[in-house]
Amino acid sequence: MRYIKSILLTAALLSGSAAFPQIHTMVRKDSSAVNRSYNLNPVVVTGSGHHQRLKSTPTPVRVLSNQEIREQGITTFDAALTRMMPQVSMAPNSMGTFLRLNGLGNKYILILINGQKLSGDISNNVDLNRINMSRVKRIEVLDGAASSLYGSDAIAGVINIITDQPTKSNGFPVGITSDTHVSGHGVLTEAVNLDISQNGFASYTSFTHDRANSYQTTDLEYVKGSDTETQQTIAPLFTGYRSNILGQKFTYNPNQHLALNAGLDYSYKITDRPNTVPGGSPAGGTDYEMRYKGLRWNVGTIYKFDARNSLQIDYTVDRFRYGKEYDVETKTNAVGDYVQSKKQRTIERQVKAILGLLPQGTTIVGNDWRLDKLVATSGNIDQESYILAYFAQHEQRFAVGCGSITATLGARYDYHKTFGNHFTPKATLMYSLGSVNLRATYSAGFRAPGLDELYYHYFSVNRGKPQISFGNQNLKPEKSNYFSLNAEYRDDVIAVSLTGYINRVNDMVVKQNVTVDEASLVMLKKEFPEMTQDQADKMVSYALYQNSDKGDVKGVQLNVSANIFSGFNLSANYAYTYARAKSVSDGSADSPDLWLPLERSIRHAATIAANYHHAWKKYGLNVNLNGRLQSKTYYTGSYENAPGYGLWNIHTTHTFDFTKWALLEPSIGIDNIFDRVDRRIDSSVRKYALYSPGRMLVVGLKVRLL
């Protein structure tokens, strides 16, 4: 097989709101993975709702390719986002992962898999372990409101996970891949894929096992009520878990016009926390583990009338449940008992037509219907709600002198079972002249309050003190207005992108504490007759969901990528985020409106990556050095802010491609090179931003057959 000379390739590296190239120099050998190349201008779908080249989209997205993810030694979804996108932060715990994008939290971020919503909300945390990273082709991230195309929840942005499709490998109809990664604290990821592709029919089967041990960065905590006296604790900073994902997808293309697909994914996860110690010393153990199960299946079809006109139909059912599985015997539960906390079901149907009605124009019209159902034992909820929506968008390109202007107008009409009618507009404008792109975007967002926020009726007792939360059926939808300006320069050597944006959110739904008086105490006793008089005497306040706050997020993102020399690329991404919320007071003089930093927001963050690649015949070496630096994380109320940090990782991949039917790719690296750890002693006011246990060796092996 003949080799070709080294060529300079430019890959797309998007800013939070704009596309620009990432430069790599590599050697390419036909049908070989030894020499890698980056897609110069990949096809994306999330920004405009239809497939188009990255440089052409007036609503650009950031693309994280599978190749970039692998080169950094990343095996989890949260690591992919935080290592490569400074505007994203994560906080893992036993209830899932608290995700933030541009200062706004989970409930304002819409997570999609191939354009369809992913369920799995656990007390406003997301179970990201449901995402099978071994099948991720790319991750497309759209900053800002996008409800005109995607409906409720798309206020902070949209994260769309595009999965891979099975293809023939080196002419063989069958391909088998095993990918294993091991590191400290019991971290193990094992993924096995089986792909079959023949005569228009394709099947891919995957199994992924992921596990990690719980760990601490300090085994001390302050005694409650003291800032000086400490005691031993076994409570972990990071909660260990075991997770399995089994996936199966079929595709069939009988001709060039019709494509059919069907898929199913089953996920299982259980935490692995220290058990309660008899006698209660040291403290911090638990009597039960959190167990999660998800079952998601979908069917869909695309009919292409011609190159510019197509019809797409998708139907998805997503079921998710979680609860407590006891591994310590208690007064009320035996070992092995399972007590369900919540059960969620989402049914979604979408019909979308993509039409080329005008030259240089693309029109999208469609209809969405989504049913959400929630059964929460702990919150006494058994409710469902639906949204019926119609949307339309037209994108038109005009030649102007030596350049061009691309304009987009879109709108969505939603009818919600509880909230009635809602209208959401969008408008974008892009001017292109040679290597320069200028973009302006306005888009509106909205979020319908969740079923828990509407109907919650929660009572529990913690250390003898009752905790009560109520939903509020009088809530209004949350609404936002997003504005952004972007300037971008790109050529074959350097790319620079600068974006400024404002995202304003009204009627934010928050839990507010309501002071208990004599009248409200009578009401609480009536609502919760199981509450004893002793517990009632300890009641100080209860929680009620209300449309209380306003959010205001302003930010700047700067992205630079340059080809320093042949085979070596350097990229840097910086995000400044000024995120605040104003709690609306009762109007009294002693209770003024106050603007405070949004919970868990970060003012400054940056990611840096340096990548070198070279090939010697059938051996390829890739070395990647990457880092994340961020300032302090803001916490509201009486909690202290978490300090900033800088983390650096190095990862090397070695590719051996000796035969046509087999590829061997060992890898080795070090996470957290400089051993940065937050060792602050835990307390009732202590919060964290850095969850690393310290320096760890990471070893991997990928084997591909046929």
Side-chain angles (χ1 to χ4, degrees), residues 361-377:
T362 301
T363 303
I364 298 176
V365 293
N367 164 246
D368 276 342
W369 174 82
R370 192 176 86 200
L371 173 72
D372 291 304
K373 182 176 178 61
L374 173 64
V375 178
T377 305

Side-chain angles (χ1 to χ4, degrees), residues 497-511:
S497 176
L498 179 65
T499 304
Y501 67 89
I502 299 173
N503 199 2
R504 289 178 172 159
V505 188
N506 293 315
D507 297 320
M508 296 179 75
V509 176
V510 298
K511 259 187 182 182

Side-chain angles (χ1 to χ4, degrees), residues 72-89:
Q72 294 198 21
I74 295 170
T75 60
T76 62
F77 180 74
D78 55 348
L81 292 181
T82 55
R83 287 194 188 183
M84 303 171 75
M85 296 192 66
Q87 65 267 45
V88 175
S89 63

Side-chain angles (χ1 to χ4, degrees), residues 2-9 25-29:
R2 294 184 301 176
Y3 296 86
I4 62 175
K5 294 182 179 180
S6 298
I7 59 175
L8 183 65
L9 297 176
T25 300
M26 297 182 183
V27 183
R28 175 71 183 177
K29 185 179 73 174

Side-chain angles (χ1 to χ4, degrees), residues 45 49-51 114-116 165 249-262 298-315 350-354:
V45 66
H50 65 97
H51 291 85
N114 297 319
Q116 305 301 311
Q165 299 290 337
K249 184 171 184 177
F250 298 103
T251 63
Y252 181 55
N253 298 74
N255 54 56
Q256 62 180 349
H257 297 288
L258 181 64
L260 306 170
N261 67 83
N298 68 281
V299 293
T301 182
I302 299 176
Y303 188 82
K304 295 183 178 180
F305 300 95
D306 54 42
R308 299 192 62 211
N309 297 275
S310 63
L311 179 67
Q312 179 177 331
I313 302 175
D314 289 289
Y315 184 83
Q350 183 183 85
V351 180
K352 181 170 71 174
I354 302 174

Side-chain angles (χ1 to χ4, degrees), residues 206-218:
S206 62
F207 174 76
T208 300
H209 175 72
D210 189 15
R211 67 188 304 151
N213 294 338
S214 296
Y215 57 74
Q216 299 175 300
T217 54
T218 176

Side-chain angles (χ1 to χ4, degrees), residues 2 30 59 66 95 215 217 307 346 427 434 446 515 596 603 635 656:
R2 294 184 301 176
D30 294 340
T59 311
N66 173 271
M95 300 299 290
Y215 57 74
T217 54
T346 300
F446 87 99
T515 302
L596 297 173
R603 195 69 54 86
Y635 286 92
F656 301 89

Side-chain angles (χ1 to χ4, degrees), residues 31 41 98 172 191 287 367 401-402 486 610 636:
S31 303
N41 188 30
F98 194 92
F172 292 97
D287 298 334
N367 164 246
C402 297
N486 167 259
T636 58

